Amino acid sequence: MTERPALLWFRDDLRLSDNPALRAAIEHGPLICLYIFDTSAGRRPIGAAARWWLSRSLTVLSDAITAKGGESLILRGDPAELLPRIVQEADIGFVAWNRRYEGAAIALDKELKATLSEAGVAVESFNANLLNEPWQVTTKADGPFKVFTPYWRAARERGEPSAPLPTPGKLSKAKLPAALRKQMLTVADLALEPSAPDWAGGLRDAWTPGEDGAHDRLSSFLDDAIADYRNGRDRPDRSSTSRLSPHLRFGEISPRQIWHATKAALETGNTRGSAADAEKFFSEIGWREFSYHLLFHNPGLATANFNRRFDAMSWEKDEAALTAWQKGQTGYPIVDAGMRQLWQTGWMHNRVRMITASFLIKHLLTDWRVGEAWFWDTLVDADPANNPASWQWVAGSGADAAPYFRVFNPVTQGEKFDPNGVYVRRFVPELAALDHKFIHRPWEATASALKQAGIVLDRDYPKPIIALDFGRRRALDAFSALRSE
Ligand code: FAD
C-alpha cells in the first residue's frame, strides 16, 4: 500500500458491496470517496423524479461511508475540470471508477483517463452494473446483435456471472487538503428534492432508496412474489414484479448480486419461486443488458431512430392531447391509471408502460421522443438505455421492435390485464364505484350505472379524447406509408 491517497469516483454505482472500483481503490491507499453532481453541458441532465431518488440514495451512501470510517466528498460541476484538479490538489496516486455506457460519458471517461495517465496517475475502470460488457456479447460475425433472443442465448453461453464482491470492512480516510474541504457540499446543498411545491410525498411512501432498501426489496421478492412472476408479471393489479428498477438504475444493487441471490434462494429452498420463474426473471434482466448493448453500439439511441426509415414520419403535434396524456385525463381508464401511477409514485407497471406509450405514439401519432422525455422526467428508474430502447421498441423504430401494425387497444388490454379494474380504481378513484362491466369503457356505461356510481362524464371523468378506430386507422396509414417508402 502506498501512502498517496486513492480516489474512488462514484457515479451510477451507489453501493459499497460488489463494487469493484471501491475494492481496487481500497487496495491502493487511504481513500477519498467522490461524487460529482454533473452540471456539464455535454450530458443529459437527469429528470426531476430521478433527482429525488439520487438525493436519498446519496444520503444513504454517504452515511454508510461515514459509518465505516470514511468520508465522502460531494461536489457540483464539470467532472472534466474538477477531477484533474482534485487529483492534483490531493496528490492522488490512483483513480478508480465503474463504467457507464452513454456516448457522452464514455467520451468523458476516455478524456479523463488520458489526462490523468499523462500526469502519471494510475487509472482503472471496472464493470459493476452489467452481467456482460456490451462489447463482450457478439454475433458469429463479431458484430452487435439486433434481436433479443439470439443476444440472450449468446450472453448465457458465456457462463455464470462472477460471484459478487463482499462489502468492505473499515475504510481508511485520506486527509483532504483544506482548499478541497472548503468546497465540499452536503447532499442537501445539491437541492435535488422538490420544495415549492413538494410533490414527492407519493415517492417517499412508495420507495426506500439506498443499498439496504434494494436488498430488502430483492429479499421480499424472492421470498414470495417471484412465485407469481411468470403468470402475474403482466398484471398491474398484482405485485408480482420485483420493483428493483430504480435500485438498478442507481447501482444500489448489481445484476450479479440479483443473479446469485436468486440462485442461492433456489438451492436452499428459501423461495416460493421455481427455476422457471427465476429463468423468466433473468430474461427480463437480460432485456436490460440488451438495452445497454444497443445503447453502446448506438450512442444516439435517445434522439435518433434506430431504423432511419422512421425519419420520414410526420408526427402530429397536438398540445392539448399531450397534456391530457401526461395528466392521465385521456378518458381511457387504463392509460389514465398508468399516467397517474407514474406521477404519484415515479414508477409504472411494465404492461401499462407499453399501453400508455402505444397510445401516445399510435393513437395520438406523437413522436416517441416526446413520450421518452416525459418518462425521463417523471420515472424514478429513468434509465439512459432502457427508456429510449423501450420507447423505440413500442414505436417500431427500434431493434427487435414491436411490428408497426401492433396498436394496443386500451380497452381490451385493460380488460385482459386488469380484469376486475382493481388497478384502475386505485389510480382513478373517481371511477371507483363504477360497475366492473364498464370500468374500462365508462363512455358506454348506462345512465343508471353512471348515476349509481355518482359519475357525470366530462365533469368527473373525461370522455375519450380520441376515437380508438380513428386513431388506429390514422396510425396504420402513417406507419404503412413509411414502410413502402
Ligand atoms: P421486473 O419485471 O421485476 O424485472 C427485473 C428488472 O429487469 C427490472 O428492474 C429492469 O431492470 C429489467 N427489466 C424488466 N423488464 C424490462 C424491459 N422490458 N426492458 C428492459 N429491462 C427490463 N425500465 C427502466 O429500468 N427504466 C426506464 O426508464 C424504462 N422505461 C421504459 C419505457 C417504456 C415505454 C417501456 C415499455 C418500458 C420501460 N422500462 C424501463 C422497462 C420496464 O418497464 C421496467 O424495467 C420494469 O417495469 C421495472 O419494473 P420491475 O423492476 O418490477 O421489473
Side-chain angles (χ1 to χ4, degrees):
M1 200 186 250
T2 61
E3 270 320 292
R4 285 174 81 193
L7 181 77
L8 169 67
W9 181 19
F10 279 104
R11 297 108 63 93
D12 292 335
D13 51 349
L14 305 181
R15 63 175 187 269
L16 297 183
S17 61
D18 196 29
N19 189 325
L22 173 61
R23 186 178 72 169
I26 288 171
E27 280 168 7
H28 271 79
L31 203 58
I32 294 181
C33 295
L34 172 71
Y35 184 85
I36 301 174
F37 184 71
D38 190 341
T39 54
S40 61
R43 294 203 64 220
R44 186 181 192 185
I46 63 170
R51 284 162 69 102
W52 173 84
W53 189 286
L54 175 64
S55 173
R56 296 288 162 129
S57 190
L58 273 180
T59 304
V60 173
L61 177 70
S62 158
D63 289 349
I65 290 171
T66 309
K68 290 207 171 281
E71 185 173 38
S72 30
L73 172 62
I74 297 175
L75 299 172
R76 178 177 26 218
D78 182 354
E81 185 264 315
L82 285 173
L83 211 80
R85 190 151 60 73
I86 298 165
V87 166
Q88 203 206 2
E89 283 176 17
D91 189 28
I92 304 279
F94 177 73
V95 178
W97 62 65
N98 294 310
R99 290 184 201 109
R100 298 176 297 186
Y101 303 92
E102 307 98 294
I106 293 173
L108 170 66
D109 289 357
K110 274 195 178 148
E111 181 194 321
L112 281 169
K113 228 177 202 177
T115 313
L116 295 172
S117 305
E118 232 167 75
V121 180
V123 186
E124 261 189 79
S125 63
F126 300 85
N127 170 15
N129 288 344
L130 293 174
L131 298 173
N132 290 292
E133 292 287 21
W135 53 88
Q136 287 176 323
V137 184
T138 55
T139 61
K140 291 218 163 65
D142 215 22
F145 283 94
K146 292 187 175 152
V147 178
F148 173 72
T149 306
Y151 164 83
W152 188 230
R153 198 180 311 122
R156 294 302 306 267
E157 278 166 8
R158 289 178 46 79
E160 292 284 297
S162 56
L165 302 167
T167 313
K170 273 204 92 48
L171 302 175
S172 78
K173 175 162 56 175
K175 197 168 165 342
L176 273 184
L180 268 181
R181 189 165 286 286
K182 256 176 56 195
Q183 293 164 39
M184 216 164 134
L185 301 174
T186 63
V187 177
D189 292 331
L190 296 177
L192 298 172
E193 299 195 35
S195 54
D198 172 12
W199 43 257
L203 276 60
R204 286 193 289 273
D205 292 346
W207 302 102
T208 311
E211 193 168 356
D212 287 349
H215 286 275
D216 288 350
R217 185 71 78 172
L218 175 62
S219 303
S220 67
F221 174 67
L222 292 178
D223 283 350
D224 193 31
I226 191 172
D228 189 40
Y229 191 71
R230 267 177 314 149
N231 296 325
R233 62 175 288 277
D234 266 326
R235 293 279 301 266
D237 56 339
R238 298 191 194 161
S239 296
S240 307
T241 69
S242 71
R243 300 198 183 206
L244 281 166
S245 50
H247 299 288
L248 276 164
R249 157 66 184 86
F250 286 96
E252 297 166 357
I253 192 166
S254 73
R256 285 191 291 255
Q257 290 175 311
I258 295 175
W259 187 283
H260 286 285
T262 308
K263 286 263 157 132
L266 282 174
E267 275 159 25
T268 54
N270 242 342
T271 173
R272 285 186 54 234
S274 64
D277 295 318
E279 207 45 55
K280 183 69 194 151
F281 180 50
F282 289 160
S283 83
E284 294 307 319
I285 304 271
W287 271 100
R288 176 177 179 273
E289 298 271 316
F290 183 52
S291 297
Y292 274 90
H293 182 77
L294 293 174
L295 175 65
F296 176 74
H297 291 291
N298 306 276
L301 196 65
T303 48
N305 290 304
F306 183 85
N307 176 348
R308 299 314 292 250
R309 200 177 259 183
F310 278 70
D311 291 355
M313 182 65 132
S314 66
W315 301 103
E316 293 287 319
K317 287 198 178 82
D318 182 342
E319 285 300 324
L322 176 62
T323 305
W325 178 80
Q326 291 170 334
K327 297 203 157 151
Q329 294 287 349
T330 66
Y332 290 101
I334 191 83
V335 173
D336 295 340
M339 297 308 292
R340 295 188 203 182
Q341 179 179 34
L342 174 61
W343 187 251
Q344 284 167 32
T345 70
W347 185 88
M348 195 197 297
H349 186 277
N350 179 59
R351 168 60 46 180
V352 194
R353 292 188 201 207
M354 292 196 279
I355 299 169
T356 53
S358 170
F359 185 79
L360 184 74
I361 298 167
K362 307 272 170 96
H363 284 104
L364 299 180
L365 209 60
T366 302
D367 192 332
W368 61 266
R369 282 162 281 227
V370 175
E372 197 273 344
W374 182 254
F375 273 31
W376 181 257
D377 197 36
T378 51
L379 276 171
V380 285
D381 65 23
D383 185 277
N386 271 355
N387 200 40
S390 303
W391 274 92
Q392 294 226 41
W393 184 88
V394 177
S397 61
D400 200 4
Y404 81 97
F405 49 82
R406 181 187 291 163
V407 179
F408 282 121
N409 178 319
V411 176
T412 50
Q413 288 282 311
E415 288 172 346
K416 185 165 175 200
F417 295 109
D418 181 29
N420 302 313
V422 170
Y423 177 74
V424 161
R425 285 177 221 281
R426 184 163 154 225
F427 289 104
V428 189
E430 61 269 38
L431 297 180
L434 190 59
D435 186 320
H436 107 246
K437 272 206 304 284
F438 303 117
I439 191 75
H440 291 291
R441 45 178 94 221
W443 62 94
E444 288 180 12
T446 57
S448 70
L450 287 172
K451 188 157 181 247
Q452 214 176 358
I455 299 166
V456 175
L457 285 181
D458 261 354
R459 183 195 73 183
D460 304 311
Y461 183 71
K463 286 187 183 147
I465 58 166
I466 191 163
L468 291 181
D469 277 356
F470 166 79
R472 181 167 190 280
R473 178 82 357 247
R474 182 176 63 173
L476 289 179
D477 288 348
F479 279 76
S480 50
L482 215 55
R483 277 185 85 227
S484 53
E485 266 181 24

